[in-house]
Amino acid sequence: MSVLSTAPVTDAPAKPGRRHRLDDWRPEDPEFWQVTGARVARRNLWVSIFAEHVGFSVWSLWSVTVLFLGPEYGIDPAGKFLLTAVPAALGAALRLPYTLAVARFGGRTWTIVSALLLLVPAVPMAVLLEPGVSYSTLMVLACLTGVGGGNFASSMANINLFFPERLKGKALGLNAGGGNLGVPAVQLVGLAVLATAGAAYPRLVPAVYLPLIVLAALAAARWLDNVPAARNEPGALREAAREPHTWVMSLLYIGSFGSFIGFGFAFGQVLQIEFADRFATPVDAAWLTFLGPLVGSLIRPVGGHLADRYGGARVTFWNFAAMAASATLVLYAAGQRSLPLYLAGFMALFVTSGIGNGSTYKMIPAIFRSRAAAEVAGGRLDPADAERRARRLTGALIGIAGAVGAFGGVLVNIAFRQSFLTWQSADAAYLAFIGCYAVCLLVTWLVYLRPGRRQLAGV
């Protein structure tokens, strides 16, 4: 789902010589889908997954780069947390414009452009990362990697256009999961560099991605297609912004996806600071850094499956309870200096944040389906108009919630930074996370689970 829709297209066959532009695209037509559509959609999906995966890796570069910044760089822990916060901020800010760019320029065209934009941070990082570089230069380089965060939004918006409604969930789940795996992938690349070349060569990590970025752009140019009927829904974002559920779901997505991306960026350096006696070198911490994002990415589809079976609001409610319990375990383990308990708590946080990603996304279309059914039953809208309005608001809400939720990654890193600055430990940050999850749990119950005449059925 996205703020994009497809206008009606004619049944005219594709014109000779017009490669990469689909003049005839009818994914909801069973015969067209079986003969032509499925093959084209799958090709676009796999290339999109690869391009988005590379984008996520570039977005996450500083989650591993900070492990290379030893005493010779003169950066304290608070400064490092700021370096992992600014990519999350720019990535969140770019999500909406990247989504709208798909209809404006075409999915294939924008995928090529957005892939090549990844060279903007990667090339100077491969050149400038060495002792003596100024902190302001590092901040600019870190901020620029945020362009990778926008790739997720445009990739999801594009793939949404290729699949019929009955297959969108699976396709978007594969696309999102493949992209999210870019976080542990770049951390494994960092681990390989640390284990072989050592901490003196941080520039090798972005250098590894230079050919992959070019390959992603070339693959998009060779195998992706533009859907000419794609258009941005006029006024959908403004209408959704006036909808209270937009901001409720944005809060819940901050708690779920914001936690995932924030912990993915921060986990390695938190581990190295909290247990400095156990991790004398960056490579010691890097062996564990990638595990959390890996399990969080792989578990995301489970959240959607559980929401289908038990209801999105119910799964989200209990998931936030589990997240609060996991953060409590991390806080206790940090006080007891127990590394096994600490790792167990953080792995549980990654698992539950991944489940929450899936369950909160499943809640959004259910909210507007429920309201559409009520409006039809009350005679205020006919079924066709109610369905169109539900799809329009669902797409817009997903776009807004995705952008707002990504700012949770900023908040997580700022919380760690302020906690270490003020109290020389992460305890205050853990308490803030527990409080946030408690608020999300309470809001989920009050808005979607509390019995009453305003309760939305099926959410």
Side-chain angles (χ1 to χ4, degrees):
M1 288 293 186
S2 72
V3 294
L4 307 183
S5 66
T6 50
V9 294
T10 65
D11 294 345
K15 297 178 182 179
R18 289 187 70 182
R19 299 175 61 204
H20 310 301
R21 184 173 177 86
L22 302 172
D23 295 282
D24 181 21
W25 188 246
R26 295 168 282 122
E28 299 295 344
D29 182 334
E31 183 178 354
F32 175 86
W33 179 255
Q34 183 175 3
V35 174
T36 303
R39 172 178 51 82
V40 174
R42 282 195 296 268
R43 184 184 72 237
N44 279 267
L45 174 62
W46 296 122
V47 176
S48 176
I49 288 174
F50 173 64
E52 185 197 339
H53 177 93
V54 175
F56 244 98
S57 292
V58 172
W59 192 23
S60 309
L61 270 172
W62 285 85
S63 69
V64 66
T65 301
V66 291
L67 299 180
F68 288 83
L69 305 182
E72 63 273 21
Y73 287 85
I75 305 173
D76 62 10
K80 292 181 181 180
F81 281 116
L82 204 55
L83 288 172
T84 53
V86 290
L90 182 61
L94 289 177
R95 284 192 161 199
L96 275 181
Y98 266 55
T99 298
L100 300 175
V102 170
R104 177 66 179 84
F105 302 104
R108 169 182 175 268
T109 306
W110 186 249
T111 302
I112 296 169
V113 171
S114 61
L116 292 176
L117 283 173
L118 300 175
L119 294 172
V120 174
V123 170
M125 282 181 68
V127 174
L128 298 175
L129 282 180
E130 61 182 11
V133 63
S134 69
Y135 184 72
S136 58
T137 300
L138 295 178
M139 281 289 290
V140 171
L141 295 176
C143 184
L144 289 174
T145 59
V147 297
N151 288 25
F152 173 85
S154 57
S155 178
M156 294 290 277
N158 186 43
I159 290 304
N160 178 66
L161 300 173
F162 281 93
F163 286 83
E165 288 295 329
R166 70 182 189 278
L167 298 177
K168 285 184 189 291
K170 181 179 180 181
L172 292 175
L174 286 170
N175 200 52
N180 288 356
L181 284 170
V183 182
V186 73
Q187 292 169 348
L188 282 171
V189 170
L191 171 61
V193 171
L194 284 168
T196 55
Y201 300 98
R203 64 178 63 185
L204 292 180
V205 180
V208 167
Y209 279 90
L210 295 180
L212 295 178
I213 292 168
V214 174
L215 182 60
L218 291 175
R222 175 64 180 85
W223 287 298
L224 290 190
D225 302 284
N226 286 324
V227 177
R231 59 185 176 88
N232 291 314
E233 288 279 1
L237 291 175
R238 287 193 299 273
E239 188 176 354
R242 295 192 294 266
E243 172 60 57
H245 289 289
T246 297
W247 306 109
V248 173
M249 292 308 303
S250 294
L251 171 66
L252 301 185
Y253 204 54
I254 285 175
S256 56
F257 178 77
S259 293
F260 168 78
I261 198 66
F263 293 142
F265 283 9
F267 180 48
Q269 54 182 323
V270 171
L271 190 64
Q272 199 174 11
I273 296 168
E274 290 275 60
F275 293 91
D277 55 325
R278 300 286 192 94
F279 302 105
T281 65
V283 71
D284 296 329
W287 281 107
L288 299 170
T289 299
F290 74 95
L291 291 175
L294 177 63
V295 297
S297 300
L298 295 176
I299 205 73
R300 178 172 178 150
V302 174
H305 176 73
L306 291 174
D308 285 338
R309 184 169 183 179
Y310 300 108
R314 184 178 299 175
V315 172
T316 299
F317 174 86
W318 288 110
N319 190 70
F320 277 124
M323 292 183 77
S326 301
T328 302
L329 177 59
V330 170
L331 175 63
Y332 173 79
Q336 297 297 311
R337 309 300 302 158
S338 172
L339 180 59
L341 277 180
Y342 189 85
L343 291 174
F346 246 113
M347 290 304 109
L349 275 174
F350 277 109
V351 168
T352 50
S353 65
I355 290 173
N357 283 347
S359 66
T360 51
Y361 248 53
K362 285 286 186 177
M363 288 175 66
I364 294 174
I367 289 168
F368 293 111
R369 281 199 304 266
S370 178
R371 290 185 49 182
E375 288 170 339
V376 171
R380 294 183 293 276
L381 286 176
D382 66 63
D385 287 342
E387 182 181 356
R388 279 194 297 270
R389 185 171 187 273
R391 288 186 182 181
R392 168 190 175 95
L393 289 177
T394 293
L397 196 160
I398 286 177
I400 294 173
V404 175
F407 274 105
V410 183
L411 299 176
V412 167
N413 283 272
I414 292 299
F416 278 125
R417 178 180 186 273
Q418 196 59 42
S419 185
F420 281 111
L421 269 178
T422 307
W423 289 281
Q424 289 73 53
S425 78
D427 290 358
Y430 302 140
L431 289 171
F433 302 148
I434 294 167
C436 173
Y437 302 143
V439 169
C440 290
L441 180 149
L442 180 62
V443 168
T444 304
W445 184 81
L446 288 174
V447 179
Y448 300 112
L449 293 176
R450 181 175 55 168
R453 64 183 181 84
R454 293 189 176 183
Q455 184 180 14
L456 296 175
V459 177

